[in-house]
C-alpha cells in the first residue's frame, strides 16, 4: 500500500493568496482542495501576515500535515525565508522580514509545521506546469506576468538557478529602455500606460482587458512588444522547447499574443502554453503558427502543487540536510557552559577570569525575559554566527514568554554578490592560495544605504533586526552583539556552515579563511569597536544548544578590571603536516583523536579569546575587546606605536615524533606593508621549551651559498618533485632546552624534529613563505602551497656562515640576582622590537611592568602563583599568561619542589 501524506501549498502573490491541501500518494501529487482570496500586500505588515496565517490554518483543517511550502515573488532569500521586495508597489512593509520565523511562530500549534519552506513563484509555477504536461525531459521557460515579471528555467528534470541563465539574473531586473523590464511588463505599467493615453485612472488590469476598445488594444499590443523585446535574446540563448505563461496578466494573452508572436525572434520550434486564459481561444502555438496545445489549469493551482513538488524535491536531494549537518568539523571540545569542579593538576585548556556571582546569564529564556520589555532591538554579530539556530531558539523562548515578535534580517540590504566580489577582488590575491591584502574599507561598503534605511519596524510587539551589520540600520533601541571565537568560525567553515560576508554559499575552507583574514575580520573588528561603547548585551554563541550572555555595562566594567590584573587567554590547538605528540602527552584533556598537534595558539590575539567565569558559568569573547576598552591600560608605552594591535604573540610548535617544518622565511618590513597592508612584520624567535635526542634547528645559510644556486635547487625540486639536500644550503644547529634562536625577517629557518618550540614573535602570523617542504602532502592529501617567488624576494643571503652563530643564537646575560633568584637577559636581534628575559627562582620574585605589557610562560617548574593588585592566578607548566602594563608591580611565587623558570617578553622602550 502506497504511503499517503498531506502538505499545505500556497501561492502568495501581490494581490492574492491561494492555498491548497496537496495529497502525496507514492510519487504523485493531487490537489485535494484549494481556496483563493484577495490580498492587499500594501497593507501594514501585521495585517498581511494575519491574513496569510488565517488562510494557511483554514486550508489545513484538522489534518496532520507533514509540511508547508510557500510560493513567493522575488527578490527573496528563499533558503532563509527573508523578503527582499523593495520599491515594487507591493509588500511595502516586508523588506527584510524573516517570514520563515514569523510564520513558524504564528502557526505554532499547526500539526507538523516546523519550518515553512519557500520557493520563487516562477519556479513553483514552472514545476507545476512541468508535472502537469509531462515536460520532465524538456527545456522549459516559465514566465509569470502580474504585479511583477518573473522567470524560471528547467532542463531535463532539473530546476536551474536564474543566476546562471541568460542575463545573469531574474528577468524582472533585466535592463530595458530607461529602466528595467518590470517597469514595462507588469500590472502597474498597464495601469500607468492606460491613464497616460486616456487620462482615466483604473484600479484593475482586468477592467482594461474587458473594454476591448482601441486604446486598451493598443496598451496590450505595446505590452506584447515589450515582452518580445525582453524575451527574444533569452529564448535565443536558452533554446527552450516549451514556454509556459502564468499570472493574472497572462489571462489576457489573446490581447497581446499577436504582437508578441510577430516580434518574437526564434529560430527553433517551441511550444507555448498559457495558464488561466479565459478568452475562449486556444493560445498554444509554435514558431510556425501551428496549433499544438490546450488551455491548462490556472497559475495559482499549478503554483500550489509546484511549491510542494519543490519542497519534496529539495528534501529528497539533500543527502545531508542543514538541520542534520554537524555545525562544526573538529575533534576539539566546545567550551563548556559551566566549568567543572576539581583541581587541575596540569595545563588548563579553559583558563578563566573570575567575576562576582550573577554577572553571566545563560539560556535563551533569560535573554528573552531581558528583551521582552523593548519594542525594537538590533542583534548584530561576528561572521560565523549560526543565525538561523539562534533566531529559532530565541523566538521560541520569546513565544513561551508571551512576546509577539517580528523578525527582520539585515542581509537583504547587502549589495549584490557580484558587486561585493568586484569590490574585494584587489584584496584577495587572485589565485594565490594564502595571501591577499588587508581590506581598507568598512562594513558599510558591503551594504546599500537606501536599502538599510528601508528596513523598518513592523508595528506593535517586539521588532528585532538581526545579522552582521544590523546596527548599521540605526534603529532606536538596544544593540546586542553575538561573538564567536575564531577557532570555532574555522571549525564551522570546515563543516560548510559558515559564510563570508555577502556570500550566498560557503566556499572551500582555505578560500574562506583567506577572505576572513584579509577582509571579513578586518571590517567586523572596526564595526565591533565602533559598537563597543553602546553594546547592551554581549552573547557567546559558540554553543548552539545554549548561550551565555552578559550585560554591556557589567562587561565593560569587567574588562576595565582585567586591564590591571594577570590573566590567560584561551589557547586552541591545530594538527599539521609536521605535527608531533608532545602536547598530546603533556596536556590533559586534549582530544586524542587528532592525528597530531602542530600548533597551540597560546596568545595570538587576532584569533584567541578570553573566558569570563561567574558562578561557574562561562562566557568567551575575543581578545580585542580588551584593547577596545583601554589599549593604553593593556600596552602602556607601546600603545602609541601599536594602537589596538597587541604586538607580541606566543605559540607552540610541536615536532616531537613529527617532522621538520617547511624551510621558510618571513617578509621584510617594507614588503609586508606594501604587499599585504600590515603595519609591522613577522619577526620571530624559537625558545626551546623541550627537546628530544638529536633535535635540530635550521637557521641561516651555509657560507658561500649564492642566490642563484639556491634558487636553482628549490625550483628544480618544486618543478620535478625531487628531494633537495637542505643541509647543503642551510646551517643546522643542535637544539637544547632553554636555547633561544633569533629569526628576524628575511632569515631562512625552520624547526627540525623532536622540538617543543615556544615561538615568541611579533603578532603577524600567516606570512610564512615556504621555500621547500620536503615533498610531503598536507593532512588533506594535497601539496602544501610553496611561496618560492616571494621567499626569494625577501631572503637575506648575507645571514650565513659564522655570522649566524654570532648574531642569531642568543647568549644569556645576567642582569640582576638575589639569594635564590636571577633575572637574565636573552638578547634579541636589533630588528626585534621586543626584549626577552628569563626569571629563575626558588622562592619568589617581585617585579614591575615599568609601563609595558608583559607576556610570560612557565618554561620550567610545576606551578607558580602570580599576584597582581586584585587577583591571584595559579600558573602551571607551559602555560602562557599576560600582565597588563597597568598592573604595575606583581609577584611570582614558586609552588613546586624544584626551581622555576619563567620567560617573559615585552616591547623595547626605545621602540616606543
Amino acid at each position: 500500500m502506497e504511503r499517503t501524506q498531506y502538505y499545505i501549498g500556497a501561492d502568495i502573490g501581490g494581490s492574492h493568496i491561494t492555498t491548497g491541501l496537496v495529497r502525496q500518494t507514492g510519487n504523485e501529487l493531487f490537489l485535494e482542495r484549494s481556496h483563493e482570496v484577495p490580498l492587499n500586500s500594501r497593507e501594514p505588515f501585521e495585517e498581511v501576515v494575519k491574513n496569510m496565517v488565517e488562510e494557511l490554518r483554514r486550508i489545513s483543517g484538522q489534518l496532520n500535515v507533514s509540511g508547508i511550502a510557500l510560493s513567493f515573488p522575488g527578490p527573496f532569500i528563499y533558503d532563509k525565508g527573508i523578503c527582499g521586495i523593495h520599491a515594487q508597489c507591493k509588500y511595502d512593509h516586508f523588506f527584510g522580514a524573516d517570514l520563515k520565523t514569523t510564520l513558524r511562530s504564528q502557526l505554532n500549534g499547526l500539526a507538523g509545521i516546523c519550518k515553512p519552506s519557500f520557493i520563487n513563484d516562477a519556479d513553483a509555477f514552472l514545476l507545476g506546469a512541468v508535472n502537469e504536461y509531462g515536460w520532465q525531459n524538456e527545456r522549459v521557460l516559465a514566465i509569470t506576468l502580474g504585479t511583477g515579471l518573473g522567470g524560471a528555467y528547467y532542463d531535463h528534470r532539473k530546476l536551474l538557478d536564474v543566476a546562471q541563465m541568460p542575463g545573469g539574473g531574474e528577468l524582472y531586473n533585466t535592463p530595458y529602455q530607461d529602466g528595467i523590464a518590470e517597469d514595462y511588463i507588469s500590472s502597474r505599467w498597464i495601469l500607468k500606460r492606460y491613464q497616460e493615453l486616456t487620462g482615466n485612472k483604473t484600479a484593475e488590469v482586468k477592467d482594461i482587458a474587458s473594454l476591448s476598445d482601441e486604446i486598451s488594444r493598443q496598451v496590450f499590443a505595446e505590452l506584447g512588444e515589450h515582452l518580445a523585446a525582453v524575451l527574444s535574446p533569452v529564448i535565443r540563448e536558452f533554446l527552450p522547447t516549451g514556454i509556459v505563461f502564468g499570472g493574472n496578466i497572462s489571462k489576457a494573452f489573446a490581447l497581446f499574443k499577436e504582437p508578441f508572436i510577430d516580434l518574437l525572434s526564434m529560430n527553433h520550434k517551441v511550444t507555448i502554453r498559457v495558464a488561466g486564459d479565459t478568452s475562449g481561444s486556444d493560445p498554444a502555438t509554435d514558431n510556425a503558427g501551428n496549433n499544438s496545445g490546450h488551455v491548462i489549469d490556472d497559475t495559482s493551482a499549478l503554483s500550489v502543487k509546484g511549491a510542494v513538488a519543490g519542497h519534496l524535491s529539495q528534501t529528497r536531494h539533500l543527502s545531508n540536510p542543514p538541520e542534520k549537518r554537524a555545525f562544526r568539523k573538529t575533534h576539539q571540545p566546545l567550551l563548556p557552559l559551566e566549568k567543572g569542579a576539581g583541581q587541575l593538576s596540569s595545563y588548563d585548556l579553559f583558563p578563566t577570569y573570575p567575576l562576582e556571582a550573577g554577572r553571566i546569564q545563560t539560556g535563551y529564556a533569560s535573554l528573552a525575559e531581558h528583551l521582552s520589555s523593548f519594542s525594537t532591538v538590533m542583534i548584530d554579530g561576528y561572521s560565523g554566527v549560526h543565525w538561523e539556530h539562534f533566531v529559532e531558539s530565541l523566538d521560541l523562548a520569546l513565544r513561551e514568554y508571551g512576546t509577539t515578535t517580528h523578525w527582520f534580517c539585515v542581509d537583504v540590504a547587502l549589495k549584490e554578490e557580484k558587486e561585493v566580489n568586484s569590490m574585494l577582488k584587489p584584496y584577495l590575491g587572485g589565485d594565490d592560495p594564502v595571501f591577499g591584502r588587508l581590506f581598507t574599507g568598512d562594513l558599510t561598503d558591503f551594504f546599500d544605504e537606501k536599502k538599510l534605511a528601508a528596513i523598518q519596524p513592523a508595528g506593535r510587539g517586539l521588532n528585532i533586526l538581526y545579522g552582521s551589520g544590523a546596527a548599521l540600520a540605526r534603529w532606536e533601541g538596544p544593540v546586542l552583539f553575538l561573538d564567536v571565537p575564531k577557532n570555532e568560525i574555522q571549525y564551522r567553515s570546515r563543516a560548510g556552515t559558515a559564510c563570508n560576508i555577502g556570500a550566498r554559499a560557503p566556499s572551500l575552507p582555505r578560500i574562506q579563511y583567506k577572505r576572513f583574514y584579509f577582509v571579513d575580520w578586518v571590517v567586523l573588528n572596526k564595526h565591533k569597536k565602533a559598537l563597543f561603547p553602546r553594546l547592551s548585551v554581549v552573547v557567546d554563541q559558540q554553543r548552539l544548544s545554549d548561550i551565555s550572555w552578559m550585560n554591556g555595562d557589567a562587561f565593560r566594567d569587567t574588562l576595565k578590571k582585567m586591564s590591571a590584573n594577570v590573566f590567560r587567554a584561551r589557547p586552541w590547538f591545530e594538527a599539521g603536516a609536521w605535527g608531533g605528540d608532545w602536547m598530546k602527552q603533556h596536556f590533559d584533556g586534549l582530544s586524542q583523536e587528532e592525528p597530531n598537534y602542530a600548533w597551540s595558539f597560546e596568545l595570538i590575539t587576532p584569533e584567541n579569546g578570553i573566558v569570563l567565569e561567574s558562578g561557574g558559568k562561562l562566557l568567551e569573547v575575543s581578545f580585542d575587546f580588551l584593547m577596545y576598552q583601554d589599549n593604553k591600560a593593556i600596552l602602556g608605552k607601546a600603545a602609541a606605536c601599536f594602537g589596538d594591535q597587541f604586538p607580541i604573540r606566543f605559540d607552540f610548535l610541536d615536532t616531537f615524533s613529527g617532522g621538520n617544518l617547511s624551510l621558510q622565511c618571513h617578509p621584510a618590513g617594507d614588503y609586508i606593508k606594501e604587499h599585504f597592508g600590515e603595519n609591522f612584520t613577522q619577526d620571530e624567535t624559537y625558545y626551546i621549551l623541550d627537546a628530544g635526542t638529536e633535535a635540530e634547528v635550521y637557521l641561516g645559510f651555509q657560507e658561500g651559498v649564492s642566490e642563484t644556486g639556491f634558487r636553482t635547487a628549490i625550483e628544480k625540486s618544486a618543478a620535478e618533485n625531487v628531494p633537495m639536500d637542505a643541509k647543503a644550503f642551510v646551517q643546522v644547529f643542535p637544539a637544547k632546552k632553554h636555547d633561544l634562536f633569533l629569526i628576524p625577517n628575511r632569515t631562512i629557518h625552520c624547526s627540525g624534529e623532536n622540538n617543543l618550540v615556544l615561538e615568541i614573535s611579533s603578532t603577524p602570523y600567516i606570512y610564512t613563505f615556504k621555500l621547500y617542504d620536503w615533498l610531503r602532502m598536507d593532512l588533506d592529501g594535497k601539496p602544501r602551497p610553496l611561496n618560492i617567488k616571494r621567499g626569494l624576494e625577501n631572503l637575506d643571503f648575507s645571514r650565513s656562515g659564522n655570522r649566524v652563530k654570532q648574531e642569531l643564537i642568543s647568549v644569556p646575560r645576567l642582569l640582576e640576582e638575589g639569594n635564590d633568584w636571577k633575572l637574565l637577559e636573552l638578547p634579541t636581534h636589533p630588528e626585534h622590537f621586543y626584549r626577552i628575559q628569563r626569571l629563575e627562582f626558588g622562592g619568589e620574585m617581585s617585579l614591575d611592568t615599568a609601563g609595558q605589557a608583559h607576556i610570560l610562560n612557565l618554561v620550567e617548574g610545576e606551578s607558580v602563583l602570580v599576584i597582581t593588585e586584585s587577583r591571584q592566578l595559579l600558573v602551571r607548566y607551559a602555560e602562557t599568561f599576560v600582565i597588563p602594563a597597568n598592573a604595575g608591580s606583581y609577584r611570582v611565587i614558586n609552588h613546586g619542589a624544584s626551581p622555576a623558570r619563567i620567560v617573559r617578553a615585552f616591547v623595547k622602550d626605545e621602540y616606543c
Side-chain angles (χ1 to χ4, degrees), residues 573-627:
F573 306 85
E574 277 286 285
W578 42 264
D581 60 9
W582 191 96
M583 288 187 284
K584 264 190 178 184
Q585 295 177 14
H586 288 79
F587 295 168
D588 291 344
L590 270 183
S591 171
Q592 298 299 303
E593 294 183 65
E594 292 286 1
N596 61 58
Y597 286 104
W599 297 275
S600 168
F601 280 47
E602 291 290 300
L603 187 73
I604 302 183
T605 55
E607 298 206 16
N608 279 103
I610 51 175
V611 182
L612 308 178
E613 179 183 4
S614 172
K617 299 173 181 177
L618 305 183
L619 177 142
E620 182 175 0
V621 294
S622 58
F623 188 99
D624 48 21
F625 272 119
L626 271 170
M627 307 300 289

Side-chain angles (χ1 to χ4, degrees), residues 366-573:
S366 64
L367 184 59
E369 181 180 3
H370 175 76
L371 297 178
S372 61
S373 61
F374 298 102
S375 59
T376 55
V377 171
M378 291 160 284
I379 305 181
D380 213 310
Y382 217 74
S383 63
V385 169
H386 201 304
W387 287 107
E388 184 173 358
H389 189 94
F390 177 84
V391 168
E392 180 180 343
S393 300
L394 182 56
D395 180 68
L396 177 61
L398 286 164
R399 272 187 276 147
E400 292 176 349
Y401 202 77
T403 304
T404 300
T405 309
H406 308 303
W407 291 89
F408 294 82
C409 180
V410 77
D411 288 358
V412 294
L414 286 164
K415 294 175 180 177
E416 294 292 329
E417 188 171 10
K418 286 183 179 179
E419 185 177 355
V420 169
N421 291 341
S422 177
M423 173 181 71
L424 299 183
K425 187 176 180 180
Y427 299 91
L428 294 180
D431 295 333
D432 191 306
V434 178
F435 300 111
R437 181 179 178 82
L438 294 176
F439 183 57
T440 56
D442 300 297
L443 187 58
T444 53
D445 295 321
F446 289 78
F447 287 90
D448 182 317
E449 287 287 346
K450 290 182 179 179
K451 289 184 177 180
L452 273 174
I455 307 175
Q456 294 295 324
R460 296 184 300 270
L462 172 59
N463 293 271
I464 298 179
L465 175 62
Y466 70 89
S468 296
L472 296 175
R474 301 182 184 89
W475 283 14
E476 293 292 330
V479 177
L480 285 69
F481 192 87
L482 275 56
D483 211 11
V484 180
K486 301 292 200 312
N487 58 316
E488 289 297 331
I489 293 173
Q490 293 175 64
Y491 300 154
R492 294 180 183 189
S493 173
R494 293 167 195 172
T497 61
C499 274
N500 293 114
I501 303 170
R504 295 177 60 191
S507 53
L508 294 174
R510 184 173 288 180
I511 295 172
Q512 273 195 316
Y513 180 82
K514 183 170 69 165
R515 169 78 182 272
F516 285 144
Y517 185 95
F518 287 100
V519 178
D520 295 12
W521 294 348
V522 175
V523 298
L524 288 168
N525 288 346
K526 291 182 185 178
H527 179 61
K528 182 168 59 173
K529 180 182 178 181
L531 293 180
F532 173 69
R534 65 188 184 102
L535 291 181
S536 175
V537 169
V538 175
V539 180
D540 179 355
Q541 204 265 331
Q542 64 185 291
R543 314 166 203 85
L544 294 195
S545 59
D546 217 335
I547 57 172
S548 56
W549 61 277
M550 194 171 180
N551 173 274
D553 288 337
F555 177 59
R556 285 180 285 270
D557 181 62
T558 294
L559 296 180
K560 183 177 180 180
K561 292 177 181 176
M562 283 187 72
S563 298
N565 283 288
V566 60
F567 65 87
R568 285 188 66 205
R570 178 193 170 186
W572 62 281
F573 306 85

Side-chain angles (χ1 to χ4, degrees), residues 158-214:
K158 185 178 180 181
L159 191 64
L160 303 179
D161 184 353
V162 293
Q164 308 303 319
M165 294 298 102
E170 297 178 80
L171 287 177
Y172 84 93
N173 60 2
T174 301
Y176 180 65
Q177 294 195 12
D178 60 350
I180 60 174
E182 196 170 273
D183 295 335
Y184 298 85
I185 307 169
S186 60
S187 299
R188 67 178 182 275
W189 179 86
I190 294 174
L191 298 175
K192 174 186 174 184
R193 183 61 176 148
Y194 184 78
Q195 186 176 1
E196 288 174 349
L197 294 173
T198 65
N200 298 325
K201 188 173 183 179
T202 306
E204 298 286 345
V205 172
K206 64 182 179 182
D207 295 335
I208 300 174
S210 66
L211 294 175
S212 295
D213 60 11
E214 183 178 346

Side-chain angles (χ1 to χ4, degrees), residues 228-431:
V230 170
L231 290 187
S232 287
V234 174
I235 292 171
R236 286 197 301 271
E237 187 171 342
F238 182 57
L239 298 176
T241 55
I243 301 175
V244 58
F245 285 94
N248 286 331
I249 296 176
S250 69
K251 296 175 182 178
F253 187 78
L255 299 177
F256 58 90
K257 167 188 171 183
E258 208 169 301
F260 170 67
I261 296 295
D262 288 346
L263 293 174
L264 193 63
S265 176
M266 296 186 296
N267 53 16
H268 71 292
K269 185 175 182 180
V270 58
T271 299
I272 299 176
R273 298 186 184 277
V274 180
D277 186 277
T278 57
S279 65
S281 63
D282 187 348
T285 186
D286 58 30
N287 64 322
N290 298 322
N291 191 331
S292 59
H294 61 277
V295 178
I296 64 173
D297 294 336
D298 70 11
T299 306
S300 291
L302 290 176
S303 294
V304 165
K305 290 175 66 177
V308 173
H311 171 79
L312 294 174
S313 175
Q314 185 181 49
T315 302
R316 282 194 301 268
H317 288 94
L318 279 180
S319 59
N320 190 18
E323 60 270 18
K324 294 183 179 180
R325 189 182 305 155
F327 77 98
R328 62 199 296 267
K329 185 177 181 180
T330 180
H331 295 300
Q332 304 307 311
L334 271 166
L335 177 75
L337 190 63
E338 297 190 6
K339 189 154 186 175
Q343 193 71 20
L344 283 170
S345 59
S346 69
Y347 187 99
D348 188 356
L349 299 178
F350 303 124
T352 63
Y353 189 91
L355 315 176
E356 311 89 60
R359 286 296 184 108
I360 295 174
Q361 309 296 319
T362 58
Y364 291 96
S366 64
L367 184 59
E369 181 180 3
H370 175 76
L371 297 178
S372 61
S373 61
F374 298 102
S375 59
T376 55
V377 171
M378 291 160 284
I379 305 181
D380 213 310
Y382 217 74
S383 63
V385 169
H386 201 304
W387 287 107
E388 184 173 358
H389 189 94
F390 177 84
V391 168
E392 180 180 343
S393 300
L394 182 56
D395 180 68
L396 177 61
L398 286 164
R399 272 187 276 147
E400 292 176 349
Y401 202 77
T403 304
T404 300
T405 309
H406 308 303
W407 291 89
F408 294 82
C409 180
V410 77
D411 288 358
V412 294
L414 286 164
K415 294 175 180 177
E416 294 292 329
E417 188 171 10
K418 286 183 179 179
E419 185 177 355
V420 169
N421 291 341
S422 177
M423 173 181 71
L424 299 183
K425 187 176 180 180
Y427 299 91
L428 294 180
D431 295 333

